[in-house]
Amino acid sequence: DTAVSQTPKYLVTQMGNDKSIKCEQNLGHDTMYWYKQDSKKFLKIMFSYNNKELIINETVPNRFSPKSPDKAHLNLHINSLELGDSAVYFCASSPKTLQLRAYNEQFFGPGTRLTVL
Amino acid sequence: AQTVTQSQPEMSVQEAETVTLSCTYDTSESDYYLFWYKQPPSRQMILVIRQEAYKQQNATENRFSVNFQKAAKSFSLKISDSQLGDAAMYFCAYRIHQGGSEKLVFGKGTKLTVNP
């Protein structure tokens, strides 16, 4: 049983195109995230959603638009793709953290490698 | 701003020996969590170990242990009896609460090679 799944695993596209990456979690978690891992392997958060509500937006260009149709899904749509968007995109999910000392593990999906030509 | 620094871009170890990966971080908070994640060539992110800042005892998970020095803001990972399957990128991460959610801030990673 896959806890956090992403489709597609690989995506190759031309500059200027619009593409989407889908993410689904079957863990019943309230919070979902998108992280970007660049060509130097640096991982950085892009967005977090809590029960379909956007909570964190880390100064990501507005060409990137996350959509959460329900709390089990968080899709990432990217308009007008640029060469610099080539990266691995990870979706993750966790239960909602209500207290500072509470621990909730973030479960990561397998990643989607996006290549923009 | 919270930052996480891994000063060793690459490390290597002989099979069955011990290796220590370094991590330092910057924060003004007193309660927080620190993590080590492993990313093998399959690119799956795997949680190796976590440490609660309010606990003085260093966390251990089988062959993996940490040396957590809160005052020095240091969080190193020790891998004992290294195995070929330990070869991977290792990321140190710090958890930040933000606006009712939380995020992980990662270091730039250390690539660990295990030599047979």
Side-chain angles (χ1 to χ4, degrees):
Chain A
D1 287 346
T2 304
V4 182
S5 60
Q6 295 179 228
T7 52
K9 286 195 169 52
Y10 298 92
L11 185 53
V12 181
T13 188
Q14 299 286 332
M15 231 172 24
N17 284 350
D18 303 338
K19 290 292 178 186
S20 293
I21 305 171
K22 295 185 177 181
C23 178
E24 177 181 3
Q25 53 96 2
N26 62 6
L27 299 166
H29 290 164
D30 291 306
T31 307
M32 296 185 72
Y33 313 79
W34 278 107
Y35 288 85
K36 178 181 179 181
Q37 185 173 40
D38 63 23
S39 58
K40 295 184 179 178
K41 300 285 189 183
F42 184 53
L43 260 164
K44 189 171 183 217
I45 192 165
M46 300 172 70
F47 302 102
S48 82
Y49 268 72
N50 207 337
N51 242 327
K52 305 194 296 175
E53 179 186 355
L54 177 66
I55 302 296
I56 294 175
N57 181 340
E58 287 283 303
T59 60
V60 176
N62 57 15
R63 297 182 297 104
F64 289 79
S65 51
K67 294 274 193 303
S68 183
D70 55 61
K71 76 173 194 177
H73 296 84
L74 181 61
N75 304 323
L76 183 64
H77 189 75
I78 316 171
N79 290 327
S80 304
L81 278 155
E82 299 177 357
L83 295 176
D85 297 333
S86 294
V88 178
Y89 292 85
F90 285 95
C91 179
S93 74
S94 72
K96 183 176 179 180
T97 301
L98 298 174
Q99 298 174 352
L100 187 61
R101 285 193 173 187
Y103 169 67
N104 289 308
E105 182 178 345
Q106 287 191 21
F107 291 81
F108 283 81
T112 296
R113 179 177 293 280
L114 171 65
T115 303
V116 182
L117 303 175
Chain B
Q2 286 88 349
T3 57
V4 177
T5 303
Q6 293 179 249
S7 58
Q8 306 151 316
E10 296 188 25
M11 290 282 284
S12 64
V13 63
Q14 290 296 125
E15 200 175 0
E17 294 190 347
T18 295
V19 64
T20 298
L21 308 184
S22 301
C23 174
T24 58
Y25 58 95
D26 186 25
T27 183
S28 55
E29 296 182 352
S30 57
D31 275 341
Y32 48 89
Y33 278 85
L34 294 161
F35 305 90
W36 278 98
Y37 279 85
K38 170 185 177 181
Q39 187 180 40
S42 67
R43 77 170 181 249
Q44 180 68 49
M45 293 294 289
I46 302 165
L47 178 63
V48 174
I49 199 165
R50 75 172 192 269
Q51 174 75 46
E52 295 91 329
Y54 61 88
K55 289 187 178 178
Q56 293 187 338
Q57 187 173 6
N58 288 325
T60 62
E61 286 288 341
N62 301 313
R63 298 182 295 107
F64 298 87
S65 61
V66 299
N67 183 2
F68 173 51
Q69 301 290 327
K70 191 173 183 179
K73 295 180 183 171
S74 168
F75 181 60
S76 60
L77 175 70
K78 185 170 86 171
I79 307 174
S80 304
D81 185 26
S82 297
Q83 299 175 0
L84 295 176
D86 294 335
M89 285 289 293
Y90 285 82
F91 294 95
C92 179
Y94 172 97
R95 188 186 83 172
I96 297 174
H97 278 264
Q98 184 171 322
S101 183
E102 62 178 45
K103 66 182 184 184
L104 295 173
V105 176
F106 288 91
K108 294 194 174 184
T110 297
K111 182 178 180 181
L112 178 66
T113 302
V114 181
N115 300 310

